Amino acid sequence: MDIQARVSMNVDDLRAWSSAKDEPRWLIERRVHALELAGTLELPKVEKINLEKWDIYESGDYKAENAWSSLEEAPEVVRGLVASPVKGGLIVQFNSDVVYTKLSESLAAQGVILTDLHTAAKEHEELVQRYLFQAVKPEEHRLSAAHSALWSGGVFLYVPDGVEVEAPIQAIFLNDTSGVCFAPHVLIVAGSNSKITYVDNCVSSGDDVKVLHNGVTEVFAGAGSKVQVASVHQLAATTTDFTQRRAVVLADGGVEWIIGEMNNGYTASDTKTLLQGNGAVSDNKVIAIGTGNQKSSYTTQAQHFGRSSVSQMITRAVMLEEATAIINGITKIEKGATHCDGQQTERVLMLSPKARGDANPILLIDEDDVTAGHAASVGQVNAEQIYYLMSRGVSRSEAEHLVIFGFLAPVISEIPLEGVRSRLKDLVESKLGRS
């Protein structure tokens, strides 16, 4: 199938749209190349998932939005997600456009940059050109090429060398209209010995909003930097979510991923860290809940190049009703990456006879002098635990609720951000029909 026949723009339209955005020539040419490339590439290969049967072909139409002068113009779903007051920074994308941006004066004075990616490509051209699509390349597959051609809005966050940002930078991606282009690109560049926490929420405003969310996050963590990225997705049952997250970590740098997969629709996410430098660290925590007839694939990856690099991956998923989840954990240690340590755990809890879970831990080791391990389990709720709780006067529904929270607690309790912990707890309650 030629993807150019299923998107809103041909090459001429794309050039005109990008030019109207006043994007630099190099970016226009990259977009055009990616659109042409998309028609020649295969769909991504997702373990035990047939993406050809998913609703992933319609990229949608670009929908312009007016900028907000203040958050008072924002719908309640946005205001409810914003930490008040905004201490660090906030950026909001509504459908295809960024409509609100705020960065504290003190951070701006230290050289921190927070803006939409269109603006960044013009005002910070050298930085953006250096990093954009260097971690997730358009040549990888059809959907990465389509994203490279059609992304809009997006986030550019830059932290200079030695700057430590204590207050989180927050982003919200809101979709309220079916059939629009909803493909934000997040580009985070953290300089040497810097520190930053970035938190985003990707949400639908209604249960029947139908789009393809084809999103990408690229993180570049400089030597000695510490980067936390927390991302919670809560998209409608009629929305398909395909998300790629990628981090490149240099010597003694660290990236911590905190992912809450709370969608109601089909979901495929791939979160990968490339540990390029010696002593680089990656910590990946994922929790997910599936309901209805939802089909999901959650992949976490760590690829070790640097010596003495360390990776930890923990995924816990709960499947209800007829939901299905494929959990993939991949640790790859390259030749020469001595003294590395790569550990991973995947666990799936099924709450219905028709629910399905599949945990696939994979270790690919090309070096002898390393430590690596994995653990995986898939199973039903422990009947003895339910019986014990019920024997103490707890109802069955409440007993199941306690068991689920006990299953997810080891991940949720380790999340260092109180706001993300609280948000995930609320979403777990909602997915379990208790709110």
Side-chain angles (χ1 to χ4, degrees), residues 26 37 84 94 126 129 152 165 243 263 282 290 317 320 360 403:
W26 64 266
L37 190 63
S84 182
F94 186 24
E126 183 178 347
Q129 189 170 9
S152 64
V165 179
T243 298
N263 290 329
S282 171
L320 296 87
N360 305 296
V403 169

mmCIF file of all heavy atoms in Angstrom, residues 26 37 84 94 126 129 152 165 243 263 282 290 317 320 360 403:
data_model
loop_
_atom_site.group_PDB
_atom_site.id
_atom_site.type_symbol
_atom_site.label_atom_id
_atom_site.label_comp_id
_atom_site.label_asym_id
_atom_site.label_seq_id
_atom_site.Cartn_x
_atom_site.Cartn_y
_atom_site.Cartn_z
ATOM 1 N N TRP A 26 16.389 23.127 4.838
ATOM 2 C CA TRP A 26 16.862 21.773 5.141
ATOM 3 C C TRP A 26 15.748 20.917 5.736
ATOM 4 O O TRP A 26 15.664 19.715 5.471
ATOM 5 C CB TRP A 26 18.068 21.813 6.079
ATOM 6 C CG TRP A 26 17.790 22.374 7.451
ATOM 7 C CD1 TRP A 26 17.961 23.663 7.849
ATOM 8 C CD2 TRP A 26 17.282 21.666 8.589
ATOM 9 N NE1 TRP A 26 17.591 23.817 9.168
ATOM 10 C CE2 TRP A 26 17.173 22.599 9.644
ATOM 11 C CE3 TRP A 26 16.903 20.347 8.815
ATOM 12 C CZ2 TRP A 26 16.713 22.249 10.914
ATOM 13 C CZ3 TRP A 26 16.439 19.991 10.084
ATOM 14 C CH2 TRP A 26 16.342 20.928 11.099
ATOM 15 N N LEU A 37 10.078 8.439 0.954
ATOM 16 C CA LEU A 37 10.616 7.198 1.497
ATOM 17 C C LEU A 37 9.516 6.306 2.064
ATOM 18 O O LEU A 37 9.560 5.078 1.954
ATOM 19 C CB LEU A 37 11.633 7.543 2.589
ATOM 20 C CG LEU A 37 12.507 6.419 3.153
ATOM 21 C CD1 LEU A 37 13.395 5.851 2.057
ATOM 22 C CD2 LEU A 37 13.348 6.949 4.303
ATOM 23 N N SER A 84 -0.133 23.484 39.549
ATOM 24 C CA SER A 84 -0.317 24.906 39.809
ATOM 25 C C SER A 84 0.363 25.292 41.122
ATOM 26 O O SER A 84 0.177 24.628 42.144
ATOM 27 C CB SER A 84 -1.805 25.245 39.874
ATOM 28 O OG SER A 84 -2.005 26.618 40.068
ATOM 29 N N PHE A 94 -2.552 21.315 21.088
ATOM 30 C CA PHE A 94 -3.971 21.037 20.901
ATOM 31 C C PHE A 94 -4.159 20.578 19.458
ATOM 32 O O PHE A 94 -3.952 21.360 18.524
ATOM 33 C CB PHE A 94 -4.776 22.297 21.198
ATOM 34 C CG PHE A 94 -6.270 22.125 21.188
ATOM 35 C CD1 PHE A 94 -6.867 20.898 21.419
ATOM 36 C CD2 PHE A 94 -7.094 23.213 20.955
ATOM 37 C CE1 PHE A 94 -8.235 20.749 21.410
ATOM 38 C CE2 PHE A 94 -8.470 23.091 20.949
ATOM 39 C CZ PHE A 94 -9.037 21.851 21.170
ATOM 40 N N GLU A 126 20.863 25.410 14.410
ATOM 41 C CA GLU A 126 22.031 24.536 14.503
ATOM 42 C C GLU A 126 21.791 23.385 15.470
ATOM 43 O O GLU A 126 22.136 22.230 15.184
ATOM 44 C CB GLU A 126 23.249 25.349 14.951
ATOM 45 C CG GLU A 126 24.528 24.528 15.005
ATOM 46 C CD GLU A 126 25.727 25.362 15.392
ATOM 47 O OE1 GLU A 126 25.637 26.613 15.380
ATOM 48 O OE2 GLU A 126 26.777 24.762 15.708
ATOM 49 N N GLN A 129 19.010 20.963 13.937
ATOM 50 C CA GLN A 129 19.522 20.212 12.796
ATOM 51 C C GLN A 129 20.510 19.131 13.244
ATOM 52 O O GLN A 129 20.573 18.049 12.653
ATOM 53 C CB GLN A 129 20.197 21.156 11.806
ATOM 54 C CG GLN A 129 20.564 20.500 10.487
ATOM 55 C CD GLN A 129 21.008 21.503 9.439
ATOM 56 O OE1 GLN A 129 21.199 22.686 9.733
ATOM 57 N NE2 GLN A 129 21.167 21.050 8.213
ATOM 58 N N SER A 152 3.857 17.626 13.517
ATOM 59 C CA SER A 152 3.513 19.037 13.694
ATOM 60 C C SER A 152 3.463 19.358 15.177
ATOM 61 O O SER A 152 3.296 18.477 16.021
ATOM 62 C CB SER A 152 2.160 19.365 13.052
ATOM 63 O OG SER A 152 1.120 18.655 13.691
ATOM 64 N N VAL A 165 17.857 21.762 36.576
ATOM 65 C CA VAL A 165 16.478 22.263 36.645
ATOM 66 C C VAL A 165 15.729 21.415 37.662
ATOM 67 O O VAL A 165 15.514 20.224 37.450
ATOM 68 C CB VAL A 165 15.801 22.192 35.264
ATOM 69 C CG1 VAL A 165 14.363 22.695 35.348
ATOM 70 C CG2 VAL A 165 16.602 22.982 34.231
ATOM 71 N N THR A 243 3.838 4.756 19.383
ATOM 72 C CA THR A 243 4.790 5.683 19.996
ATOM 73 C C THR A 243 6.174 5.068 20.052
ATOM 74 O O THR A 243 6.345 3.935 20.511
ATOM 75 C CB THR A 243 4.348 6.065 21.422
ATOM 76 O OG1 THR A 243 3.078 6.733 21.358
ATOM 77 C CG2 THR A 243 5.365 6.995 22.072
ATOM 78 N N ASN A 263 -4.058 3.778 27.827
ATOM 79 C CA ASN A 263 -4.964 3.938 26.680
ATOM 80 C C ASN A 263 -6.129 2.956 26.760
ATOM 81 O O ASN A 263 -6.049 1.912 27.409
ATOM 82 C CB ASN A 263 -4.214 3.701 25.373
ATOM 83 C CG ASN A 263 -3.223 4.801 25.060
ATOM 84 O OD1 ASN A 263 -3.429 5.954 25.414
ATOM 85 N ND2 ASN A 263 -2.134 4.444 24.398
ATOM 86 N N SER A 282 20.545 3.386 32.491
ATOM 87 C CA SER A 282 19.157 3.473 32.031
ATOM 88 C C SER A 282 18.255 2.748 33.011
ATOM 89 O O SER A 282 18.536 1.613 33.397
ATOM 90 C CB SER A 282 19.012 2.846 30.641
ATOM 91 O OG SER A 282 17.648 2.737 30.275
ATOM 92 N N GLY A 290 -4.993 -3.043 30.423
ATOM 93 C CA GLY A 290 -5.789 -3.217 29.224
ATOM 94 C C GLY A 290 -7.210 -3.623 29.561
ATOM 95 O O GLY A 290 -7.439 -4.396 30.496
ATOM 96 N N ALA A 317 1.905 -5.376 33.758
ATOM 97 C CA ALA A 317 0.674 -5.125 33.009
ATOM 98 C C ALA A 317 -0.466 -5.933 33.599
ATOM 99 O O ALA A 317 -0.283 -7.086 34.009
ATOM 100 C CB ALA A 317 0.872 -5.482 31.535
ATOM 101 N N LEU A 320 -7.706 -7.042 31.655
ATOM 102 C CA LEU A 320 -9.071 -7.340 32.046
ATOM 103 C C LEU A 320 -9.894 -7.740 30.827
ATOM 104 O O LEU A 320 -9.511 -7.484 29.686
ATOM 105 C CB LEU A 320 -9.710 -6.127 32.720
ATOM 106 C CG LEU A 320 -9.123 -5.644 34.049
ATOM 107 C CD1 LEU A 320 -7.977 -4.681 33.831
ATOM 108 C CD2 LEU A 320 -10.197 -4.965 34.898
ATOM 109 N N ASN A 360 7.979 -11.729 26.977
ATOM 110 C CA ASN A 360 9.096 -12.244 26.187
ATOM 111 C C ASN A 360 10.400 -11.555 26.587
ATOM 112 O O ASN A 360 10.770 -10.523 26.014
ATOM 113 C CB ASN A 360 8.836 -12.006 24.695
ATOM 114 C CG ASN A 360 7.526 -12.585 24.226
ATOM 115 O OD1 ASN A 360 7.327 -13.786 24.260
ATOM 116 N ND2 ASN A 360 6.612 -11.717 23.803
ATOM 117 N N VAL A 403 -5.480 -6.783 45.348
ATOM 118 C CA VAL A 403 -4.457 -7.624 44.722
ATOM 119 C C VAL A 403 -3.819 -6.892 43.532
ATOM 120 O O VAL A 403 -2.594 -6.943 43.339
ATOM 121 C CB VAL A 403 -5.069 -8.963 44.271
ATOM 122 C CG1 VAL A 403 -4.084 -9.736 43.392
ATOM 123 C CG2 VAL A 403 -5.432 -9.804 45.496
#
